[in-house]
Amino acid sequence: MFVNKNGRKKLEIITKSNLEKIINVSDLSTLEAVYNGIAKVTNNEEPDEVNYYVSYDAKIKAGIDFQQVDINLDNEKKVIKVKIPEIKINDINVDIASLDYIFMNDKANTETVSEQAYEKCIEDVTSEVDTEDAIYELAKENAQNIIEALIKQFINQLDAEYKLEIN
């Protein structure tokens, strides 16, 4: 309930559509991490032979698609259940200015080395991120905290008896 300009109490009802309006965004990055890596670039003709190593810095953003958040409202039990979608990697950005090379084969140091190295760095960080559970866990925890902060404030203003369950 809230008081309108005439001093009268006005009843506001919690509805699923009201809750969905609160979180009406698409991709939300809930975690940004910096990754420092080293990619190995092999010889195309001799795959066992390393042409060079390249070190790099990358930023990774992970989060959720808010369009996939599922909200279920039980007005009788006064429970709001929110199901968070699977965490996904939203963006991987390798800083091309950070590339630093160690050549094992001097012939590999050509005018196209940066382009090739950049692609290998993207492959390397993508591979590393896919196996790093901590990124996904932290991003999910942050998503839960964000959703709770958004919805709890709304609940507290309208009807503090409602309970919020997020999973």
Side-chain angles (χ1 to χ4, degrees):
M1 278 196 244
F2 66 93
V3 179
N4 65 15
K5 63 183 177 184
N6 298 330
R8 293 187 190 144
K9 288 186 176 181
K10 183 176 178 185
L11 181 63
E12 183 80 25
I13 299 172
I14 295 177
T15 64
K16 182 176 177 179
S17 63
N18 284 347
L19 295 171
E20 287 173 341
K21 285 179 189 174
I22 292 172
I23 58 173
N24 188 19
V25 294
S26 187
D27 285 338
L28 174 71
S29 292
T30 58
L31 177 78
E32 182 173 322
V34 175
Y35 180 79
N36 303 47
I38 298 175
K40 175 172 65 172
V41 182
T42 58
N43 187 312
N44 290 339
E45 295 168 10
E46 305 260 346
D48 293 337
E49 187 178 311
V50 176
N51 276 345
Y52 59 92
Y53 295 93
V54 56
S55 67
Y56 63 92
D57 298 331
K59 286 187 181 174
I60 301 130
K61 291 182 181 182
I64 61 172
D65 179 355
F66 256 62
Q67 302 294 330
Q68 301 293 318
V69 171
D70 186 29
I71 300 174
N72 289 304
L73 182 62
D74 186 336
N75 285 316
E76 286 182 24
K77 294 180 181 177
K78 293 201 173 206
V79 174
I80 299 167
K81 293 183 180 182
V82 179
K83 185 171 181 346
I84 296 176
E86 185 178 337
I87 299 296
K88 63 180 183 172
I89 301 301
N90 294 338
D91 187 32
I92 294 176
N93 183 7
V94 172
D95 179 6
I96 198 161
S98 72
L99 301 184
D100 194 19
Y101 305 90
I102 299 173
F103 286 96
M104 309 307 277
N105 176 358
D106 289 334
K107 292 179 182 178
N109 189 1
T110 65
E111 58 200 34
T112 62
V113 72
S114 292
E115 181 181 334
Q116 181 186 35
Y118 183 78
E119 289 174 17
K120 288 294 184 183
C121 292
I122 295 282
E123 287 175 20
D124 184 67
V125 71
T126 301
S127 172
E128 290 295 322
V129 166
D130 285 344
T131 61
E132 188 57 50
D133 292 337
I135 289 173
Y136 292 93
E137 290 168 15
L138 285 170
K140 183 171 185 171
E141 186 178 313
N142 290 345
Q144 290 171 330
N145 292 337
I146 290 167
I147 289 172
E148 182 176 356
L150 288 170
I151 294 177
K152 275 268 190 183
Q153 184 178 15
F154 181 73
I155 292 170
N156 290 338
Q157 289 178 0
L158 298 179
D159 192 341
E161 291 180 23
Y162 273 82
K163 300 294 179 221
L164 179 61
E165 296 176 6
I166 302 172
N167 59 25

